[in-house]
Amino acid sequence: MSSRLIEDQKSFEKLCQQIAEEGQVAFDTEFVSEYSYRPELCLLQFATRNESAAVDPFRVDDLQCWWNLMADDNVQVVVHGGQAEIRFCLELGGVRPSNLVDVQLAEGLRSRSYPLAYNTLVSRVLKQKVHGKETRTDWRRRPLSDRQITYALEDVNYVLGVWRKQEAWLKRNHRLSWANAEFERMVTELADDCERPPWDRINGLHRLTRRELAVLHALAEWRDADACERNRPVRRILRDDLLVEMARRQPKNEKEMLATRDMNRGEYRRSFPAMIQAIQAGLAVPDSELPPVVKRTDSDNNPDEQVIGQLLGIALANRCAEMNVARSLVGTSADLRHLVRWHVYNDRQGDPPKLTLGWRAEVCGELLEDVLDGKISLRVADVNSDHPLIFERVEDDR
């Protein structure tokens, strides 16, 4: 397989044309996220059946023709753990990936291993040894060395081969529809996450009153805008815990601002006028327009819900071992508690539990609901088995 580094617009657009004609490509990126508002894209890697190429986005100014290909139904883009690649397409390209495959997700649907590192996955599926990710490399530095390019392209050179084997297995075992649904779910969840307002990721909102929430919203919007303008990570503008504390205390001047511990840092003090202005904007919101109180969604205050969720967790783990599918991919502890609230406590707010929908319902939905309804008994069968429990339907004696 030939490989090269592309550093000019014309060659990049020619590569995109070749990808469009072939209809399938492996894709990966290298980026640095510690120092900027959004992760800084430093390298794009592609591999078709015959060629691999790295693209330097510091030299190639316009990447839109590639983002458009990611949104093209006729081009299958294959990634490994592709959350970052999806976000780049959404945020830099302004389009939504369409025909996307993630081999990390696919492996979790045909084994109990998820998430698997790239080198481990390649070794398992293709019996090939690769170096793994270059986690210590500063991909912003130029010029890029031949060693860096070689390592970067190794991250895509085996992806299509892995997917060919996975796809054949998924078809034989009637799970390809599961995989396609999960690829689409990942894209949808990341697209929704990109649309979340800046305050929606902050912990502890359920402890705030409606007025305090209005102040927090204003502060969070100021922080996000300031981080964007200065191209700095949001957390470096002001920590979440201090943002919440400012929403509670609602200081009116510098002296009151300094009464909160850790607010005496020089970089914070320079932003005091803007923070006070945001606080005043939150205090000026009319009562009729205040945001609603945030309901706590965890189960810390409901021990019964936790216990029932743990019981379901045992049933789920055993079922996943029986079907050879990754338990962590099927459902989390939060998913189990959602099912308990929905099915046992009749709390029907929001969307139905994920475990009752699609391929997950096929794996465990009916089993878990029957456990909750007392229609299933549990006993230990083979203690040496990787799924030693048997769930049996209870006979109705009536």
Side-chain angles (χ1 to χ4, degrees), residues 64-122:
Q64 193 60 45
C65 62
W66 164 244
W67 305 129
N68 292 341
L69 284 181
M70 283 193 73
D72 188 338
D73 288 336
N74 297 315
V75 178
Q76 186 179 68
V77 180
V78 189
V79 296
H80 170 270
Q83 291 86 352
E85 287 68 39
I86 293 170
R87 285 187 180 276
F88 282 131
C89 185
L90 291 165
E91 295 175 353
L92 300 183
V95 292
R96 177 187 173 118
S98 179
N99 187 3
L100 183 126
V101 166
D102 191 310
V103 294
Q104 190 178 62
L105 279 175
E107 193 65 18
L109 293 172
R110 68 187 205 113
S111 74
R112 286 181 288 158
S113 301
Y114 178 81
L116 272 184
Y118 177 69
N119 56 333
T120 306
L121 178 57
V122 172

Side-chain angles (χ1 to χ4, degrees), residues 181-201:
E182 203 56 24
F183 303 151
E184 177 62 26
R185 172 182 285 275
M186 179 173 68
V187 173
T188 297
E189 289 182 347
L190 287 169
D192 291 345
D193 188 66
C194 288
E195 297 298 321
R196 291 169 65 187
W199 58 83
D200 199 35
R201 298 175 177 84

Side-chain angles (χ1 to χ4, degrees), residues 4 40 47 75 102 106 126 136 141 157 266 270 306 341 359 381 395 398:
R4 57 189 170 128
E40 185 176 6
V75 178
D102 191 310
L126 299 180
R136 304 298 296 178
R141 295 179 63 88
N157 283 340
R270 286 190 289 272
Q306 285 189 340
R341 289 193 298 272
W359 65 268
E395 296 293 335
R398 291 178 295 175

